[in-house]
Each structure stands twice: as structure tokens, then as C-alpha cells.
């Protein structure tokens, strides 16, 4: 599969050799010249950035690879699995364990919606599988919610590893048979109207 075809599936790029202390807004200002940026995650001296359109990701690689940013020539290339391995979360689907028995599906959505667009939730007993629309959202949820106190219990949040031969978004989670509509940040008000709002602490 060529780079163009891969970008059609996932318009996401890896940015390397960043100066320490690089601000997210500075990176967005530069890379938004190539198109609409939907997510940006900075970690140490590298970052992952996702565009809304594949052609924007292609243009960024063509125009900004080797660009002199604050005195350093940055590397801009297609985000590959070996790059994702640098993060504790490299996929969009999370496993959530030790969920309180009284926790409802809409409560869990309300707790995890602030970190990004929730596209699917499969919940059973004291565990659940939750999927975001992008890796950056999953990573932020992992950072904030792993070990957080939710409904009186400290939950566990990890990346949900697919079984061999399992397609993304299917398999163990899909077998639970519970699906939800796509929730975006804009309509989150309808989620937060719950009479018993959920709060979490570390």
C-alpha cells in the first residue's frame, strides 16, 4: 500500500526533532497552513498530528519535512506503527476495568467524552471497551482516567489489545452487542444533562 492510500485511511503524520518546550499552538499555527488539523499530541521531542483530509497530510509531508523550526530541521513523515509504539497508547480502543456495579452506560460516556469523540462503547458487568475516533483522544483519556476515582472505585484504563486476526473495533468488544451513536464535543450537553452528574478524582 502506498503512502497516498494509507493517508486515505488515516491522515496522520509523525513530527520529529522538535525543540524541548515546543508549544502546541506554535505547531498548530505552522501545520494548519496545509489543512484543517483535528488533533495534535506532543510528547517530549516528537508529536503526532492528524488532519481532516488526506491531501492535507500529504501536503504537510511534502512541504514541511526538513523545515527549519526554531533553529532545528524537523522530520515530517507518515505516522507508522513503530512510531505509535513510543506511546503507552497506540490505538483508539480502550479497556476500562473495575467499574462500579451501579455505573450506567451514559455515566461512563459522560466521564470519557471530554477527551474526544466517543464512537463506540461496549459495557458488561464491571468492565467496558470504549473507542475514540483518534489515538490522541485515547491517549488523553488514558493519562487522565487510569487510576482515577469514579463512582467510589479507582478504575483501570488500558489499551484494548485486539486478538490475532481481530479487526479493529470488532471481536471481544463487539461480541457484547452494545453500540452507541457517535458523540462529538458539540452535542455533549445532552450527555451532561444527567440528573446525577459523574465526577472523578485522582
Amino acid at each position: 500500500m502506498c503512502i497516498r492510500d494509507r493517508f486515505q485511511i488515516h491522515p496522520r503524520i509523525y513530527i520529529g526533532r522538535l525543540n524541548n518546550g515546543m508549544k502546541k499552538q506554535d505547531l498548530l499555527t505552522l501545520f494548519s497552513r496545509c489543512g484543517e488539523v483535528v488533533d495534535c499530541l506532543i510528547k517530549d521531542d516528537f508529536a503526532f498530528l492528524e488532519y481532516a483530509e488526506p491531501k492535507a497530510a500529504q501536503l504537510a509531508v511534502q512541504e514541511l519535512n526538513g523545515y527549519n523550526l526554531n533553529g532545528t530541521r524537523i522530520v515530517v513523515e507518515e505516522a507508522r506503527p513503530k512510531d505509535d509504539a513510543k506511546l503507552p497508547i497506540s490505538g483508539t480502543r480502550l479497556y476500562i476495568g473495575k467499574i462500579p456495579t451501579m455505573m450506567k452506560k451514559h455515566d461512563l460516556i459522560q466521564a470519557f467524552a471530554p477527551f474526544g469523540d466517543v464512537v463506540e462503547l461496549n459495557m458488561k458487568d464491571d468492565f467496558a471497551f470504549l473507542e475514540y475516533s483518534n489515538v490522541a483522544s485515547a491517549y488523553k483519556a488514558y493519562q487522565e482516567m487510569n487510576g482515577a476515582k469514579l463512582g467510589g472505585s479507582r478504575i483501570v484504563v488500558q489499551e484494548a489489545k485486539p486478538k490475532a486476526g481481530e479487526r479493529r473495533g470488532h471481536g471481544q468488544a463487539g461480541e457484547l452487542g452494545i453500540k452507541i451513536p457517535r458523540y462529538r464535543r458539540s452535542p455533549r450537553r445532552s450527555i451532561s444533562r444527567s440528573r446525577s452528574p459523574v465526577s472523578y478524582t485522582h
Side-chain angles (χ1 to χ4, degrees), residues 29 136 138:
T29 299

Side-chain angles (χ1 to χ4, degrees), residues 167-186:
R167 291 191 305 165
R168 179 177 171 271
H170 294 274
Q172 189 174 1
E175 289 167 3
L176 300 180
I178 306 169
K179 296 206 174 183
I180 62 173
R182 183 171 186 145
Y183 288 98
R184 292 189 176 276
R185 291 190 179 96
S186 53

Side-chain angles (χ1 to χ4, degrees), residues 94 96 99-100 103-118 121 123 128 130 132 137-138 140-146 148-153 155 157 180 183 185 188-194 196-202:
L94 299 175
I96 307 167
I99 300 172
M103 182 70 61
K104 303 295 184 183
K105 186 170 68 173
H106 71 272
D107 294 330
L108 206 59
I109 294 172
Q110 184 180 334
F112 280 82
F115 307 106
D117 301 335
V118 176
L121 173 64
M123 187 173 178
L130 182 145
Y132 284 103
S137 295
K140 286 184 284 187
Y142 163 79
Q143 283 187 308
E144 294 294 328
M145 299 299 289
N146 186 33
K149 199 169 184 180
L150 187 64
S153 175
I155 61 173
V157 179
I180 62 173
Y183 288 98
R185 291 190 179 96
R188 202 170 65 219
R189 294 177 192 158
S190 61
I191 300 172
S192 60
R193 283 178 185 164
S194 169
S196 53
V198 177
S199 61
Y200 65 90
T201 59
H202 285 276

Side-chain angles (χ1 to χ4, degrees), residues 13-18 27 31 45-49 74-76:
I13 60 174
Y14 166 82
I15 308 165
R17 298 182 186 171
L18 296 175
L27 213 57
F31 281 85
D45 61 346
F46 66 93
F48 290 102
L49 186 143
I74 60 174
V75 173
V76 181

Side-chain angles (χ1 to χ4, degrees), residues 2-19:
C2 67
I3 292 179
R4 180 181 299 177
D5 292 336
R6 287 194 292 262
F7 275 146
Q8 291 292 337
I9 298 173
H10 201 180
R12 189 159 165 258
I13 60 174
Y14 166 82
I15 308 165
R17 298 182 186 171
L18 296 175
N19 285 330

Side-chain angles (χ1 to χ4, degrees), residues 45-171:
D45 61 346
F46 66 93
F48 290 102
L49 186 143
E50 186 168 347
Y51 284 102
E53 299 291 336
K55 62 182 180 181
Q58 288 179 256
L59 182 61
V61 171
Q62 293 170 0
E63 299 294 327
L64 296 175
N65 185 33
Y67 183 87
N68 192 324
L69 182 61
N70 297 337
T72 302
R73 290 196 177 278
I74 60 174
V75 173
V76 181
E77 57 189 21
E78 173 200 7
R80 299 184 296 268
K82 72 174 185 179
D83 298 320
D84 289 338
K86 297 177 181 179
L87 296 173
I89 296 295
S90 59
T92 58
R93 194 165 60 136
L94 299 175
Y95 165 82
I96 307 167
K98 298 185 179 180
I99 300 172
T101 54
M102 77 289 292
M103 182 70 61
K104 303 295 184 183
K105 186 170 68 173
H106 71 272
D107 294 330
L108 206 59
I109 294 172
Q110 184 180 334
F112 280 82
F115 307 106
D117 301 335
V118 176
V119 297
E120 187 173 352
L121 173 64
N122 298 282
M123 187 173 178
K124 186 173 183 180
D125 300 327
D126 63 346
F127 69 95
F129 292 92
L130 182 145
E131 185 165 359
Y132 284 103
S133 61
N134 56 74
V135 177
S137 295
Y139 179 71
K140 286 184 284 187
Y142 163 79
Q143 283 187 308
E144 294 294 328
M145 299 299 289
N146 186 33
K149 199 169 184 180
L150 187 64
S153 175
R154 290 203 177 274
I155 61 173
V156 174
V157 179
Q158 301 172 343
E159 181 176 359
K161 300 291 185 182
K163 295 180 180 179
E166 178 187 32
R167 291 191 305 165
R168 179 177 171 271
H170 294 274

